[in-house]
């Protein structure tokens, strides 16, 4: 009688064991599927971040202005986490994220806190700055040409204001340049920009690029916070005007001296032609004496009455020439001394 009960219990245990195995297998399958989904998601995320953290495919040949990304292309600029756009474009991933974030904060602080007044329109403009880094430029590019090209391509600054600043570094080329608009140059002049670059060269030689970038942007931030002095605002105009006035004075002086020389040359030519004609007339008239045009000494000649004949032979001489004739030969028909 107990055997059927035992058989029933055994069947029930087998059924429960089978269910447990099936549940275990199902759980394993679910875990495997979950792991596979997570793996695929992480791979997709890695592929999405890769261009911002590693050198891009064509940057090995060097960057040019045409291939360089726009500031709105956050992923290509290596700044996928920013909200709107990136003022730090680092497609080759040369800067740590913390450094790039710090630069963004300083640039945003300049944009919010500082105002530049246009001298013509009296309108206030913010400071629009960007930082651009590349590992290498394409052959034939210069830092100045690259910075100016990206500045124009991005359209930094308001139209007609010149309130933009672009700080550019090419690491392998060891070149850098600060491009400033006309209005921004009142506070960050070309001389001050050169000082900023000279100040960070020791850090760059030591391979401390992040520290150099932070130091440069901090220095620019400090310079842009100061109101431009009278010399900063008008010094270039004054120097240019003074140089132009000096050049015009030199040109005018040279022209005056040339006119004086021309008049003197003309007068000398007239005197020489007058004396030559008089002496030739004296020689042909047979005067016994005549003068050397150069040494002004009397020489004996075979003919006589040279002065009177020469005087009559030149009725058309000017008053100045006759005066000269009088000094040379006297007023009468006798021979001159």
């Amino acid at each position: 009688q107990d055997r059927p009960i035992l058989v029933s219990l055994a069947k029930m245990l087998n059924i429960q064991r089978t269910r447990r195995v099936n549940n275990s297998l199902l759980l394993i399958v679910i875990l495997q599927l979950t792991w596979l989904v997570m793996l695929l998601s992480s791979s997709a995320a890695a592929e999405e971040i890769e261009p911002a953290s590693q050198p891009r495919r064509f940057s090995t040949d060097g960057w040019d202005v045409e291939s360089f990304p726009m500031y709105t292309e956050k992923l290509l600029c290596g700044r996928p986490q920013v909200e709107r756009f990136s003022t730090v474009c680092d497609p080759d991933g040369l800067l740590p994220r913390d450094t790039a974030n710090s630069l963004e904060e300083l640039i945003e602080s300049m944009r919010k806190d500082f105002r530049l007044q246009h001298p013509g329109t009296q309108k206030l403009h913010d400071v629009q700055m960007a930082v651009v880094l590349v590992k290498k430029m394409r052959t034939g590019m210069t830092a100045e040409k690259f910075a100016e090209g990206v500045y124009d391509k991005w359209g930094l600054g308001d139209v007609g204001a010149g309130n933009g600043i672009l700080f550019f570094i090419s690491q392998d080329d060891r070149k850098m340049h600060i491009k400033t608009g006309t209005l921004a140059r009142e506070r960050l002049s070309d001389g001050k920009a050169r000082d900023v670059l000279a100040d960070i060269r020791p850090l760059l030689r030591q391979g401390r690029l992040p520290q150099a970038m932070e130091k440069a942007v901090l220095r620019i931030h400090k310079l842009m916070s100061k109101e431009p002095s009278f010399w900063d605002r008008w010094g270039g105009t004054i120097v240019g005007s003074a140089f132009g006035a000096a050049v015009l004075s030199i040109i005018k002086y040279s022209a005056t001296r040339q006119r004086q020389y021309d008049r003197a040359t003309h007068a000398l030519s007239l005197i020489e032609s007058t004396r030559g004609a008089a002496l030739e007339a004296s020689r042909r008239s047979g005067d016994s004496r005549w003068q050397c045009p150069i040494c002004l000494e009397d020489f004996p000649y075979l003919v006589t009455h040279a002065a009177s004949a020469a005087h009559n032979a030149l009725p058309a001489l000017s008053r100045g020439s006759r005066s000269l004739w009088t000094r040379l030969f006297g007023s009468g028909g006798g021979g001159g001394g």
Side-chain angles (χ1 to χ4, degrees), residues 82-249:
V82 297
E83 295 182 2
R84 297 183 299 159
F85 53 83
S86 175
T87 54
V88 177
C89 195
D90 178 21
D92 293 324
L94 303 177
L95 292 178
R97 178 174 294 183
D98 292 343
T99 302
N101 291 339
S102 176
L103 298 180
E104 291 259 15
E105 291 174 2
L106 285 171
I107 292 172
E108 182 65 13
S109 171
M110 276 191 282
R111 189 186 68 82
K112 289 182 177 179
D113 300 339
F114 306 148
R115 291 294 179 268
L116 307 176
Q117 187 174 25
H118 194 282
T121 62
Q122 302 301 315
K123 185 179 179 180
L124 295 177
H125 301 269
D126 57 5
V127 179
Q128 299 181 17
M129 181 176 175
V131 173
V132 170
L133 302 94
V134 298
K135 188 170 181 61
K136 181 182 177 183
M137 292 183 292
R138 189 159 295 176
T139 304
M141 292 293 297
T142 64
E144 182 176 0
K145 184 178 178 181
F146 196 100
E148 291 179 351
V150 175
Y151 184 97
D152 294 336
K153 179 179 178 179
W154 285 9
L156 276 175
D158 299 330
V159 177
N163 54 318
I165 303 173
L166 189 136
F167 180 27
F168 169 71
I169 283 187
S170 178
Q171 186 181 51
D172 289 358
D173 298 308
R174 304 174 69 86
K175 301 293 182 182
M176 51 187 171
H177 184 73
I178 298 178
K179 164 65 178 176
T180 55
T182 306
L183 190 57
R185 203 174 297 127
E186 290 186 355
R187 301 190 185 187
L188 183 61
S189 63
D190 292 340
K192 292 178 181 179
R194 285 191 292 269
D195 292 341
V196 171
L197 299 180
D199 200 28
I200 65 173
R201 280 196 178 94
L203 291 173
L204 294 174
R205 293 192 185 102
Q206 298 170 11
R208 301 167 63 187
L209 178 63
Q211 292 83 353
M213 297 299 297
E214 287 185 337
K215 185 175 184 180
V217 177
L218 276 170
R219 180 83 180 274
I220 294 173
H221 185 282
K222 184 177 180 180
L223 290 171
M224 297 304 296
S225 66
K226 299 178 180 179
E227 287 292 333
S229 64
F230 176 82
W231 183 254
D232 290 335
R233 176 165 290 178
W234 301 108
T237 303
I238 293 172
V239 171
S241 300
F243 180 77
V247 171
L248 290 176
S249 299

Side-chain angles (χ1 to χ4, degrees), residues 16 50 94 120 147 210 283 286 292:
Q16 291 179 356
E50 182 179 7
L94 303 177
R283 182 185 67 80
C292 170

Side-chain angles (χ1 to χ4, degrees), residues 243-319:
F243 180 77
V247 171
L248 290 176
S249 299
I250 293 173
I251 293 174
K252 184 177 180 180
Y253 175 77
S254 300
T256 302
R257 295 292 293 175
Q258 184 64 39
R259 286 194 299 270
Q260 292 174 348
Y261 174 80
D262 293 340
R263 286 198 297 266
T265 303
H266 177 71
L268 182 60
S269 300
L270 182 60
I271 291 172
E272 290 179 348
S273 62
T274 303
R275 291 181 62 193
L279 290 172
E280 179 65 16
S282 177
R283 182 185 67 80
R284 292 180 178 179
S285 65
D287 194 355
S288 59
R289 293 180 303 170
W290 68 294
Q291 287 185 332
C292 170
I294 299 177
C295 55
L296 299 179
E297 294 179 358
D298 293 338
F299 287 88
Y301 207 68
L302 298 178
V303 296
T304 58
H305 306 295
S308 178
H311 190 275
N312 296 329
L314 297 173
L317 289 178
S318 65
R319 181 180 302 175

